Amino acid sequence: MKIITIVLLALMLVAFKQKDLPNVLIIGDSISIGYTPFVKAALKEKANVSHNLGNAKHTGNGLEKLDDWLGETKWDVIHFNWGLWDLCYRNPDSQVQGGRDKKNGILTFTIEQYKRNLEKLVSRLKLTGAQLIFATTTHVPDGEAGRIANDDKRYNKVAIEIMKRHGVKINHLNELSEGIHGEYAIGNGDVHYTPEGYKLLANPVTNMIVQCLQSESKKDKKKPNIVFILADDLGYSDVGYMSQKIRINTPNINQLASNGMIFTNAYAASPVCSPTRASILTGKYPSTLNLTCHIPGMGMEQYVTKQSKGKKLMEASFIDRLPLEELTFAEVLKEHGYSTAFMGKWHLAGEGSAKTDDGIVDPRFHPEKQGFDINIAGCAYGQPANYFSPYKNGTIIDGPEQEYLTDRLAMEACQFIEQNKERPFLLYLSTYTVHTPLQAPEQTINKNKGNKYFAMIEKLDENVGKVLTKIKALDLDNNTLVIFYSDNGGVYGNSPLRANKGSLFEGGIRVPLLFSLPGKILPGTRNDVAVTSPDLFPTLLEAVGISHGRYKDLEGVSLWPLLTQKQKNIDRAIYWHFPHHREMEKSMGAAIRIGDWKLIWEFESEELSLFNLKEDISEAVNLKDKHPNKVKNMYSKLKKWQQETQVEMPNPNPEYENE
């Protein structure tokens, strides 16, 4: 009995020890069967190594067994070798060996199909959060029965391009195997090796896995989560921490501000919503995207004609959706293993003339086509048909009667966080609040003395609080970057700023912005540097350790050095281009800010206005006559930027000329 007990204890200790070791998965073709035993032996007591054969039965028909292989294990490293024989030459439904005519060399998969399968494979593997290593297909000799000469090199070239784009490490086994094949092949024209040959192949596999395990041990196991909260039409002074409106009730947002850094000179890239939203996602200015106005609720031609009636200039043309070819930060994060969800207002999905009653234009332009795994309530809507269920929105299931939309989105957000607490996630909570219609629960309206707008702000804050509480309850608060932002200026006053949404005055474009990440961002700090929407893309990437240098088209700059106080300022100009009419001062124009100075160029009147925002935040005094050289230099810089980015300019209105 004593001996049995000792044996059981020993087995338990071994099991416990194995459980604590990092987990390595090797997936591959028949070559990997040969080298895996040597890898296992070399990594004994260093890692738990598992192997699954990526054979034709499972890979050629859509990688159907991949999820079974991945199972429930949290993999630290996945080394995969997906052979040409498996992805290209075999048809699993065929009775012929390999599913192809070996004599004539007929492929059942083209190189385009190979690319699609490999893209699918890499995207799925990245969701595991493991470090990935791709092994190029080993050498295929010309004498191997039925193979097409140089296929290994052609297909490996394609695979290497895909891996580099996804940031996957590459094990160049093809080059090594070509050098040793003559001596260690098991026979003439055969792709397989003797044990000595497999041992040689195992060496670089083992070395690269060890490197990954060592780098993994030097950093936190889990990348920071991101919760990005974007309010709609929330003004500069519509948050309590700005101390501008005494009846504003935002204790949760105030606490979030106390926990991190607020930006007092934060701007939206446009005085209206859709352009700013596109700019946030892509890191580009709206004028570069040629998405310079909110996407209308009617046909584009009808909209431009209506807006330009009685005006000297016709509105400039603009596109009515975010093009699929534009790269979003959600796509980048998804490529790096993040689970991604979009909830709320999208308004980047197409022209209003095609919109149905439930906000559906063309699902191809919805969030799930721009890097989001989940889309709840995101469609062509610029505002909800109703804040109370039924919502008349084709991308969210109606809740109980009179369920409040802002409550519902927060509930969905909390569920997403709960479901993804073990992996890095991006939650983009894009509230419809506080856009019209002004609707809130009666109890909250009464609490705010009948003011529906203040009631909507209170409900926004209440639900921000629910999300923050969930993060804290799951012990994720020290590893979650939270951002709170608005898409343009407020509609109901932005004291002490001048004007409202739709204007190039500060009231139309200056907005709340704050960041919180304990341990990285010092609590209770503020920054007065001017920042704007395109800055969000590179900032988010740098915050989670992803290099943004490879994305050459970004027009924003990373704010991470400011947030971590490694840098005090950013020396650059910020631009706006808004060739559209609004019943608001200083619309239909362009603007530039450099340091404390801001210049507005109004297109219809051709008037230039210069303000020193440090001394005159309300833009009450036009200093253009006192500083003609500054006006000249800033106007020249603005014009040069417009030319470089090839902005769309308004044209004369022929009807106005006739009148």
Side-chain angles (χ1 to χ4, degrees), residues 343-359:
M343 300 180 184
K345 175 173 172 175
W346 182 246
H347 203 188
L348 296 168
E351 185 173 313
S353 61
K355 187 172 66 176
T356 58
D357 289 340
D358 61 2

Side-chain angles (χ1 to χ4, degrees), residues 506-653:
E506 293 290 281
I509 53 178
R510 201 189 287 206
V511 294
L513 174 62
L514 62 89
F515 292 79
S516 174
L517 179 57
K520 297 290 185 180
I521 301 173
L522 195 65
T525 51
R526 58 177 280 163
N527 194 295
D528 299 326
V529 175
V531 300
T532 186
S533 305
D535 299 334
L536 271 295
F537 190 130
T539 301
L540 295 181
L541 265 57
E542 186 169 357
V544 301
I546 300 172
S547 172
H548 54 85
R550 58 185 284 209
Y551 305 106
K552 305 300 182 184
D553 294 335
L554 296 181
E555 295 177 302
V557 299
S558 174
L559 307 181
W560 194 242
L562 297 178
L563 289 163
T564 54
Q565 298 187 315
K566 294 179 180 178
Q567 187 174 318
K568 293 184 177 181
N569 200 2
I570 299 174
D571 185 18
R572 50 89 184 255
I574 292 176
Y575 302 94
W576 294 265
H577 179 74
F578 189 64
H580 307 287
H581 295 292
R582 285 293 178 279
E583 297 303 320
M584 187 64 58
E585 293 180 285
K586 293 293 185 283
S587 61
M588 182 55 83
I592 178 174
R593 175 166 178 172
I594 304 176
D596 296 329
W597 294 90
K598 177 181 169 187
L599 179 78
I600 304 176
W601 170 28
E602 198 169 41
F603 294 152
E604 285 225 326
S605 67
E606 300 185 22
E607 180 184 6
L608 296 173
S609 302
L610 179 69
F611 303 100
N612 185 314
L613 297 175
K614 186 175 183 179
E615 299 175 356
D616 180 22
I617 193 174
S618 301
E619 295 171 294
V621 182
N622 186 351
L623 300 173
K624 67 172 184 177
D625 294 332
K626 287 189 176 181
H627 300 277
N629 288 335
K630 186 168 289 292
V631 170
K632 181 180 178 181
N633 291 337
M634 292 182 72
Y635 179 64
S636 175
K637 194 174 184 70
L638 176 59
K639 291 280 288 182
K640 182 180 179 182
W641 171 77
Q642 289 177 320
Q643 292 167 0
E644 289 174 346
T645 55
Q646 299 179 328
V647 302
E648 291 285 336
M649 293 295 290
N651 292 313
N653 184 352

Side-chain angles (χ1 to χ4, degrees), residues 344 357-360 376-379 381 384-385 390-398 405 432:
D357 289 340
D358 61 2
I360 303 299
I376 297 175
C379 59
Y381 272 152
Y391 302 118
K392 299 180 181 179
N393 183 325
T395 57
I396 185 172
I397 298 171
D398 288 333
L405 180 58
Y432 282 97

Side-chain angles (χ1 to χ4, degrees), residues 305-315 581-584 587-588 604 651-657 659:
T305 301
K306 178 183 176 182
Q307 289 293 110
S308 304
K309 186 173 177 62
K311 304 292 186 181
K312 180 179 177 182
L313 298 175
M314 292 287 291
E315 287 209 358
H581 295 292
R582 285 293 178 279
E583 297 303 320
M584 187 64 58
S587 61
M588 182 55 83
E604 285 225 326
N651 292 313
N653 184 352
E655 291 189 7
Y656 181 86
E657 295 294 329
E659 290 174 8

Side-chain angles (χ1 to χ4, degrees), residues 432-444:
Y432 282 97
T433 305
V434 289
H435 199 292
T436 54
L438 295 183
Q439 295 176 343
E442 185 175 352
Q443 182 180 1
T444 313

Side-chain angles (χ1 to χ4, degrees), residues 4 20 25 53 118 124 144 195 203 234-235 254 297 306 357 368 383 394 404 441 446 629 641 649:
I4 295 173
D20 282 348
L25 176 62
L53 176 62
L118 209 50
R124 177 62 187 89
E144 211 272 326
N203 289 335
L234 190 74
N254 296 350
K306 178 183 176 182
D357 289 340
E368 55 267 42
Q383 64 185 61
Y404 192 58
N446 292 337
N629 288 335
W641 171 77
M649 293 295 290

